[in-house]
Coordinates of all heavy atoms in Angstrom, one line a residue:
E956 N 36.6 14.4 -54.0 CA 35.6 14.4 -52.9 C 35.5 13.0 -52.4 O 35.4 12.0 -53.2 CB 34.3 14.9 -53.6 CG 33.3 15.4 -52.6 CD 32.1 15.8 -53.4 OE1 32.2 16.6 -54.4 OE2 31.0 15.3 -53.1
T957 N 35.4 12.7 -51.1 CA 35.3 11.4 -50.6 C 34.1 11.1 -49.7 O 33.6 12.1 -49.1 CB 36.6 11.0 -49.8 OG1 36.6 11.8 -48.7 CG2 37.8 11.0 -50.6
G958 N 33.7 9.9 -49.7 CA 32.7 9.5 -48.7 C 33.1 8.1 -48.3 O 34.1 7.5 -48.8
S959 N 32.4 7.5 -47.3 CA 32.8 6.2 -46.9 C 31.6 5.3 -46.6 O 30.5 5.8 -46.2 CB 33.7 6.3 -45.6 OG 33.0 6.9 -44.6
F960 N 31.8 4.0 -46.7 CA 30.8 3.0 -46.4 C 31.5 1.9 -45.6 O 32.4 1.2 -46.2 CB 30.2 2.5 -47.6 CG 29.0 1.6 -47.4 CD1 27.7 2.1 -47.1 CD2 29.2 0.2 -47.4 CE1 26.7 1.2 -46.9 CE2 28.1 -0.7 -47.2 CZ 26.8 -0.1 -46.9
V961 N 31.2 1.8 -44.3 CA 32.0 0.8 -43.5 C 31.1 -0.4 -43.2 O 30.0 -0.3 -42.7 CB 32.5 1.5 -42.2 CG1 33.2 0.5 -41.3 CG2 33.4 2.7 -42.6
I962 N 31.6 -1.6 -43.5 CA 30.9 -2.8 -43.2 C 31.4 -3.5 -42.0 O 32.5 -3.2 -41.6 CB 31.0 -3.8 -44.5 CG1 32.5 -4.1 -44.7 CG2 30.4 -3.1 -45.7 CD1 32.7 -5.2 -45.8
A963 N 30.6 -4.4 -41.5 CA 31.2 -5.2 -40.3 C 32.2 -6.2 -40.9 O 32.1 -6.6 -42.0 CB 30.0 -6.0 -39.7
H964 N 33.3 -6.4 -40.2 CA 34.4 -7.3 -40.7 C 33.8 -8.7 -40.8 O 32.9 -9.1 -40.0 CB 35.6 -7.2 -39.9 CG 35.4 -7.7 -38.5 ND1 34.9 -7.0 -37.4 CD2 35.7 -8.9 -37.9 CE1 34.9 -7.7 -36.3 NE2 35.3 -8.9 -36.6
G965 N 34.4 -9.5 -41.6 CA 34.1 -10.9 -41.7 C 33.3 -11.3 -42.9 O 32.6 -10.4 -43.6
E966 N 33.3 -12.6 -43.2 CA 32.7 -13.1 -44.4 C 31.2 -12.8 -44.5 O 30.6 -12.7 -45.6 CB 32.9 -14.7 -44.4 CG 32.5 -15.4 -45.6 CD 33.4 -15.2 -46.8 OE1 34.6 -14.8 -46.7 OE2 32.9 -15.3 -47.9
G967 N 30.5 -12.7 -43.3 CA 29.1 -12.4 -43.3 C 28.7 -11.2 -44.1 O 27.5 -11.0 -44.5
S968 N 29.6 -10.2 -44.3 CA 29.3 -9.0 -45.0 C 29.2 -9.2 -46.5 O 28.8 -8.3 -47.3 CB 30.3 -7.9 -44.7 OG 30.0 -7.4 -43.4
K969 N 29.7 -10.4 -47.0 CA 29.7 -10.6 -48.4 C 28.3 -11.2 -48.8 O 28.2 -12.3 -49.3 CB 30.8 -11.6 -48.8 CG 32.0 -11.0 -49.5 CD 33.1 -12.0 -49.8 CE 32.8 -13.0 -50.9 NZ 34.0 -13.8 -51.2
C970 N 27.3 -10.4 -48.5 CA 25.9 -10.9 -48.7 C 25.0 -9.9 -49.4 O 25.4 -8.8 -49.5 CB 25.3 -11.3 -47.3 SG 24.9 -9.8 -46.4
M971 N 23.9 -10.4 -49.8 CA 22.9 -9.6 -50.6 C 22.5 -8.3 -49.8 O 22.4 -7.2 -50.4 CB 21.6 -10.4 -50.8 CG 21.7 -11.3 -52.0 SD 21.8 -10.3 -53.5 CE 21.9 -11.6 -54.7
T972 N 22.3 -8.5 -48.5 CA 21.8 -7.3 -47.7 C 22.8 -6.2 -47.7 O 22.5 -5.0 -47.9 CB 21.5 -7.8 -46.2 OG1 20.9 -9.0 -46.3 CG2 20.7 -6.8 -45.5
V973 N 24.1 -6.5 -47.4 CA 25.1 -5.5 -47.4 C 25.3 -5.0 -48.8 O 25.5 -3.7 -49.0 CB 26.4 -6.1 -46.8 CG1 27.5 -5.0 -46.8 CG2 26.2 -6.6 -45.3
Y974 N 25.3 -5.8 -49.8 CA 25.5 -5.4 -51.2 C 24.4 -4.4 -51.5 O 24.7 -3.3 -52.1 CB 25.4 -6.7 -52.1 CG 25.2 -6.4 -53.5 CD1 26.3 -5.9 -54.3 CD2 24.0 -6.8 -54.2 CE1 26.1 -5.7 -55.7 CE2 23.9 -6.6 -55.5 CZ 24.9 -6.0 -56.3 OH 24.8 -5.8 -57.6
E975 N 23.2 -4.7 -51.1 CA 22.1 -3.8 -51.5 C 22.2 -2.5 -50.7 O 22.1 -1.4 -51.3 CB 20.7 -4.5 -51.1 CG 19.6 -3.6 -51.6 CD 18.2 -4.2 -51.1 OE1 18.2 -5.4 -50.6 OE2 17.2 -3.5 -51.3
S976 N 22.6 -2.5 -49.4 CA 22.7 -1.2 -48.8 C 23.9 -0.4 -49.3 O 23.8 0.8 -49.3 CB 22.8 -1.3 -47.2 OG 23.5 -2.4 -46.8
L977 N 25.0 -1.1 -49.8 CA 26.1 -0.4 -50.4 C 25.6 0.4 -51.7 O 25.8 1.5 -51.9 CB 27.2 -1.3 -50.7 CG 28.4 -0.8 -51.5 CD1 29.0 0.5 -51.0 CD2 29.5 -1.9 -51.6
L978 N 24.8 -0.4 -52.5 CA 24.3 0.2 -53.7 C 23.4 1.4 -53.4 O 23.4 2.5 -54.0 CB 23.6 -0.8 -54.6 CG 24.4 -1.9 -55.2 CD1 23.5 -2.8 -56.0 CD2 25.5 -1.3 -56.1
E979 N 22.5 1.2 -52.4 CA 21.6 2.3 -52.0 C 22.4 3.5 -51.6 O 22.0 4.6 -51.8 CB 20.6 1.8 -51.0 CG 19.6 0.8 -51.4 CD 18.6 1.4 -52.4 OE1 18.6 2.6 -52.8 OE2 17.7 0.6 -52.9
H980 N 23.4 3.2 -50.8 CA 24.2 4.3 -50.3 C 24.9 5.1 -51.4 O 24.8 6.4 -51.5 CB 25.3 3.8 -49.3 CG 26.1 4.9 -48.7 ND1 25.6 5.8 -47.8 CD2 27.4 5.3 -49.0 CE1 26.6 6.7 -47.5 NE2 27.7 6.4 -48.2
I981 N 25.5 4.4 -52.4 CA 26.2 5.2 -53.4 C 25.2 5.9 -54.3 O 25.4 6.9 -54.9 CB 27.2 4.4 -54.2 CG1 26.6 3.1 -54.9 CG2 28.4 4.0 -53.3 CD1 27.7 2.3 -55.6
S982 N 24.0 5.3 -54.4 CA 23.0 5.9 -55.2 C 22.5 7.2 -54.5 O 22.3 8.2 -55.2 CB 21.8 4.9 -55.4 OG 20.8 5.5 -56.1
S983 N 22.3 7.1 -53.2 CA 21.9 8.3 -52.5 C 22.9 9.4 -52.5 O 22.6 10.6 -52.4 CB 21.5 7.9 -51.0 OG 22.7 7.7 -50.3

Side-chain angles (χ1 to χ4, degrees):
E956 202 181 305
T957 62
S959 59
F960 186 83
V961 180
I962 60 175
H964 66 277
E966 189 68 29
S968 284
K969 255 176 71 172
C970 69
M971 278 292 181
T972 319
V973 177
Y974 167 68
E975 188 184 350
S976 39
L977 170 54
L978 291 180
E979 291 293 358
H980 181 71
I981 58 182
S982 172
S983 73

